[in-house]
Amino acid sequence: MTILKKIENFREEEERLKWEGTFADYLELLKEKPWVAQTAHSRVYNMIKDAGVEEANGKKEYSFFKDQLYGVEESLEKLVEEYFHSAAKRLDVRKRILLLMGPVSGGKSTLVTMLKRGLEQYSKTDNGAVFAIKGCPMHEDPLHLIPNHLRKDFQDEYGIKIEGNLSPLNMMRVEEEYGGRIEDVLVERIFFSEDKRTGIGTFSPSDPKSQDIADLTGSIDFSTIAEYGSESDPRAYRFDGELNKANRGMMEFQEMLKCDEKFLWHLLSLTQEGNFKAGRFALISADELIVAHTNESEYKSFISNKKNEALHSRIIVMKVPYNLKVSEEERIYKKMIQDSDLSHVHIAPHALKVAAIFTILTRLKEPAKQGVDLLKKMRLYDGESVEGFNTQDLEELKNEDPDEGMSGIDPRYVINRISSAIIRKQLTSINALDVLRSIKEGLSEHASISKEDRERYLDFISVARKEYDSIAKKEVQKAFVYSYDESAKTLMDNYLDNVEAYCNKNKLRDPLTGEEMTPDEKLMRSIEEQIGISENAKKAFREEILIRISAYARKGKKFDYNSHERLREAIQKKLFADLKDIVKITTSTKTPDESQLKKVNDVIARLIDEHGYNSVSANELLRYVGSLLNR
């Protein structure tokens, strides 16, 4: 389908969704679809819920935020359940401004943008449909037409509670255009759009001397005063402020705490009573979710000012900390790179992971729990199993410091350093060492990093480098061992023969001489030590292997090299240890012989075909691992 055809289909779909009728028709519609009359907070909650909720290990994950926000599932669950869900039930929390507080590039703006874009789409669905009095600049709820003395009867009949009063403009229109017959007032379906200023408003602070309160509440249209005779005539007023236009949806206050006080006082009445003052009119009702965002230092400055106590009591603060999981941080970088002009550059495997290790270490607080260092904490947070620790230990670590994740290196810095390395050196392929080098160079130019933090971050770069050394060796180890499949199989068969004889207290027979031999303890230990099996644990490990072999035999399956993960790792490490000399020679010899060259080419081919390298990064990896082994 061509783009023009898609545009045509989109236009046809918008036409199909349009609805217009009288207030009487709207009441009939409410009998069929009572959810249409939901509040702004309820609409946001249902939008998130309708996108799908998954539960795992007692934690909720919302599909609405998937593929955009990573590693902040716990913060999102708290936001949805403690704020949106409670507000949707008309609890007192809906009378509070939602203030997202967190460090730069932590995802606050992304979260708000997702809510805005989501509402735009949701208002086009049956569950998210919104109806308003036709011709009203504030997209007013048609139920405001029902007089106060009849609202109890309406609730009894329809099961819907009405909040808010008819605006001055619509009060006049009902009398003048409809002769007081509210059942004839026209109602239409509206679709939220930030661009068209329908149901979504955005306010950003600027110079307090020049910014006018009219930006929030609308202003008098002086050109019409001569026609209507009074500034208090609602027809002489432009209801075009952000609070007016955001009615029925949501209003974003960017950097709210930087606003002049006079702008914030309007929010006191709006949040608590659901109305605000504009011009020379009675209070104007508005139903909207107010979302603001700020950083921690501005928030602390705000609450320290006694003049802000009234507003502070009407704010619900939700922390949006940095992600603290290495795997999720890596996903953030991948997404940022895909969205940039760097997507054509080959980024070697593990380059982003190593950058993520460094970044997460800068965000973690030193653990108070005994026996835990930052690396173990990092691994536990990322869902890795760490010997001697369980999920209870993980929860204890998470509860040690409520401010964890509120400081450290932000994702944009890492992407900027990757970009810098690529552009400055004209690279088409970049590896982990290039990334770490560029991050290190940039620390001295980072104005907001203190000398103390800089020294700490340099230590973390060294830690990340050591982690990469281990990863690189394992990567080459796997590639080399796969190139020696036959050797691995022979070594495993030999080990299993000895284990079987050891466990059954039997002797082995030499295949050449026929002599009986005791099991080769030296061989078995040389393999088991590769994965840290102690002398005391060797018997249990060997018996476990035999039990696994028996289980496979009962099911008619063949026990092979891949049937036991830890044994496979031990065989690989043992084989690699025996192959070290070959690796050293083949990676450091300037003029390798034909057999050595073939081995190198086999390994490079495997790194490219199965591990995601290209020829440049594969050769760089081999040279680097060769240099590590030669140290």
Side-chain angles (χ1 to χ4, degrees):
M1 190 184 293
T2 65
I3 190 66
L4 290 176
K5 185 64 179 171
K6 288 178 181 178
I7 291 170
E8 184 185 338
N9 288 353
F10 175 75
R11 191 165 54 245
E12 289 172 357
E13 178 65 13
E14 282 209 322
E15 283 298 318
R16 186 186 67 79
L17 290 173
K18 284 181 180 176
W19 184 94
E20 187 178 308
T22 63
F23 183 61
D25 297 330
Y26 177 66
L27 291 182
E28 287 301 313
L29 181 71
L30 278 186
K31 287 181 180 176
E32 292 175 43
K33 303 174 180 180
W35 65 84
V36 161
Q38 64 189 322
T39 63
H41 289 82
S42 177
R43 189 174 292 107
V44 172
Y45 173 68
N46 287 325
M47 169 186 75
I48 295 169
K49 187 166 63 79
D50 288 355
V53 185
E54 294 176 14
E55 286 202 44
N57 303 318
K59 305 283 185 186
K60 289 183 178 178
E61 289 189 14
Y62 303 93
S63 301
F64 180 83
F65 300 107
K66 237 177 185 175
D67 301 324
Q68 290 290 329
L69 293 170
Y70 306 109
V72 286
E73 291 80 13
E74 289 176 16
S75 299
L76 291 173
E77 182 178 4
K78 188 177 179 184
L79 170 66
V80 175
E81 294 304 317
E82 291 186 19
Y83 184 80
F84 288 131
H85 193 182
S86 301
K89 297 290 184 188
R90 294 180 190 263
L91 295 174
D92 212 46
V93 71
R94 74 193 174 101
K95 297 178 180 180
R96 306 285 181 272
I97 299 165
L98 173 61
L99 179 64
L100 304 175
M101 181 183 70
V104 293
S105 301
K108 303 184 297 295
S109 299
T110 301
L111 199 161
V112 175
T113 300
M114 288 185 75
L115 292 175
K116 291 195 289 189
R117 294 295 86 80
L119 278 173
E120 288 178 345
Q121 293 304 313
Y122 195 59
S123 68
K124 294 175 183 175
T125 67
D126 197 40
N127 288 347
V130 190
F131 294 82
I133 296 172
K134 187 175 182 183
C136 173
M138 284 184 59
H139 339 292
E140 189 165 7
D141 186 346
L143 294 182
H144 286 181
L145 291 163
I146 294 182
N148 284 317
H149 67 279
L150 294 177
R151 289 186 178 183
K152 179 69 172 63
D153 296 338
F154 176 82
Q155 188 172 349
D156 293 341
E157 185 179 346
Y158 285 82
I160 297 169
K161 185 178 180 181
I162 303 173
E163 293 178 343
N165 298 310
L166 198 62
S167 67
L169 178 63
N170 285 322
M171 208 176 287
M172 178 178 281
R173 289 180 64 208
V174 168
E175 293 303 320
E176 295 196 357
E177 293 178 30
Y178 298 99
R181 291 179 56 82
I182 64 171
E183 61 269 37
D184 294 339
V185 174
L186 289 177
V187 175
E188 64 178 348
R189 182 173 180 180
I190 61 168
F191 304 102
F192 288 161
S193 168
E194 185 175 21
D195 293 338
K196 295 177 181 177
R197 302 184 75 218
T198 306
I200 297 175
T202 304
F203 184 81
S204 184
S206 60
D207 181 6
K209 292 177 183 175
S210 61
Q211 194 158 29
D212 191 343
I213 199 71
D215 293 350
L216 273 184
T217 60
S219 60
I220 296 165
D221 186 353
F222 290 102
S223 65
T224 61
I225 291 174
E227 181 183 349
Y228 298 120
S230 169
E231 289 183 16
S232 60
D233 189 309
R235 292 168 299 179
Y237 196 85
R238 288 196 295 256
F239 293 90
D240 61 354
E242 294 302 323
L243 292 179
N244 307 107
K245 293 300 182 181
N247 187 32
R248 313 296 302 287
M250 71 174 279
M251 164 79 182
E252 177 192 8
F253 257 89
Q254 296 177 347
E255 302 295 342
M256 185 184 87
L257 303 185
K258 287 178 181 170
C259 283
D260 189 81
E261 287 176 3
K262 66 183 180 184
F263 292 93
L264 300 181
W265 298 134
H266 274 284
L267 303 182
L268 291 174
S269 173
L270 179 58
T271 51
Q272 192 64 36
E273 308 300 335
N275 52 44
F276 63 93
K277 195 80 172 72
R280 293 170 179 163
F281 306 117
L283 290 168
I284 295 175
S285 297
D287 171 32
E288 54 198 83
L289 160 68
I290 299 177
V291 186
H293 40 89
T294 189
N295 59 50
E296 195 170 12
S297 61
E298 282 179 353
Y299 177 70
K300 285 178 178 176
S301 173
F302 171 76
I303 59 174
S304 65
N305 187 343
K306 293 291 182 185
K307 289 197 298 182
N308 296 326
E309 281 183 357
L311 189 59
H312 181 224
S313 66
R314 288 168 171 80
I315 291 174
I316 290 278
V317 179
M318 287 287 171
K319 287 184 178 179
V320 184
Y322 283 134
N323 156 60
L324 297 174
K325 296 177 183 176
V326 170
S327 55
E328 295 298 304
E329 189 72 10
E330 197 177 350
R331 290 180 69 196
I332 292 171
Y333 299 156
K334 283 178 181 173
K335 182 181 182 301
M336 291 174 85
I337 286 167
Q338 284 168 2
D339 293 344
S340 73
D341 293 333
L342 302 178
S343 52
H344 67 286
V345 176
H346 172 75
I347 297 177
H350 312 298
L352 298 181
K353 180 178 183 177
V354 172
I357 289 171
F358 161 74
T359 309
I360 299 300
L361 287 173
T362 69
R363 299 172 185 170
L364 294 177
K365 302 287 186 181
E366 283 290 344
K369 191 173 179 65
Q370 199 170 359
V372 184
D373 58 19
L374 275 180
L375 270 177
K376 282 181 182 174
K377 187 178 187 179
M378 179 190 79
R379 291 193 172 102
L380 283 166
Y381 275 19
D382 205 30
E384 292 183 39
S385 57
V386 177
E387 196 172 342
F389 297 95
N390 54 33
T391 50
Q392 188 178 339
D393 295 310
L394 176 60
E395 290 307 313
E396 283 180 27
L397 286 168
K398 286 181 177 178
N399 294 329
E400 277 183 357
D401 194 328
D403 286 333
E404 188 168 54
M406 298 296 283
S407 61
I409 292 290
D410 65 279
R412 282 186 198 142
Y413 171 78
V414 174
I415 294 300
N416 289 345
R417 296 315 304 163
I418 292 173
S419 306
S420 176
I422 290 167
I423 293 164
R424 193 173 68 247
K425 296 178 182 177
Q426 298 294 305
L427 299 174
T428 55
S429 175
I430 194 167
N431 60 37
L433 295 178
D434 295 323
V435 173
L436 284 179
R437 201 176 295 117
S438 186
I439 288 172
K440 184 178 180 180
E441 289 168 1
L443 289 178
S444 59
E445 302 164 12
H446 204 303
S448 62
I449 297 178
S450 67
K451 186 181 177 183
E452 185 183 79
D453 280 343
R454 190 174 291 116
E455 288 172 4
R456 203 162 52 91
Y457 292 172
L458 288 172
D459 289 339
F460 292 147
I461 287 176
S462 299
V463 173
R465 168 75 177 268
K466 285 175 186 170
E467 287 293 295
Y468 176 64
D469 289 353
S470 173
I471 292 167
K473 282 192 271 192
K474 282 181 184 174
E475 197 85 312
V476 174
Q477 169 189 309
K478 278 190 222 169
F480 262 92
V481 169
Y482 279 125
S483 299
Y484 290 85
D485 270 342
E486 200 57 44
S487 303
K489 184 178 179 303
T490 303
L491 183 60
M492 190 192 75
D493 288 344
N494 198 0
Y495 173 76
L496 294 178
D497 287 344
N498 280 278
V499 164
E500 190 174 1
Y502 169 85
C503 291
N504 295 329
K505 296 182 171 55
N506 291 335
K507 300 271 187 181
L508 285 167
R509 193 172 293 280
D510 190 302
L512 294 176
T513 64
E515 289 179 39
E516 284 193 337
M517 304 179 299
T518 56
D520 190 342
E521 185 66 21
K522 188 178 177 183
L523 170 75
M524 289 187 286
R525 292 301 294 140
S526 70
I527 291 171
E528 290 157 359
E529 285 169 353
Q530 301 293 331
I531 51 170
I533 303 294
S534 66
E535 185 71 25
N536 293 333
K538 68 181 184 182
K539 187 172 184 291
F541 181 73
R542 292 169 188 177
E543 287 172 348
E544 182 198 325
I545 297 289
L546 276 194
I547 291 167
R548 182 73 64 90
I549 292 171
S550 300
Y552 269 64
R554 279 198 309 273
K555 294 174 184 175
K557 292 162 71 177
K558 187 178 184 301
F559 185 90
D560 63 19
Y561 178 65
N562 294 305
S563 301
H564 192 285
E565 192 174 332
R566 293 193 73 204
L567 178 59
R568 182 179 73 230
E569 184 186 350
I571 296 288
Q572 285 179 349
K573 285 186 171 179
K574 168 63 177 163
L575 202 55
F576 187 64
D578 296 340
L579 289 169
K580 270 187 180 178
D581 288 339
I582 297 172
V583 177
K584 287 179 186 178
I585 293 166
T586 53
T587 55
S588 60
T589 305
K590 289 182 180 178
T591 54
D593 62 34
E594 195 174 326
S595 65
Q596 290 170 347
L597 197 60
K598 185 180 183 307
K599 284 170 186 170
V600 170
N601 288 337
D602 285 347
V603 171
I604 287 173
R606 194 167 290 278
L607 287 170
I608 293 169
D609 295 341
E610 298 180 17
H611 295 264
Y613 290 82
N614 66 3
S615 58
V616 174
S617 58
N619 275 291
E620 286 173 346
L621 176 70
L622 276 182
R623 281 196 298 274
Y624 181 64
V625 171
S627 72
L628 289 177
L629 297 174
N630 279 316
R631 287 175 191 173

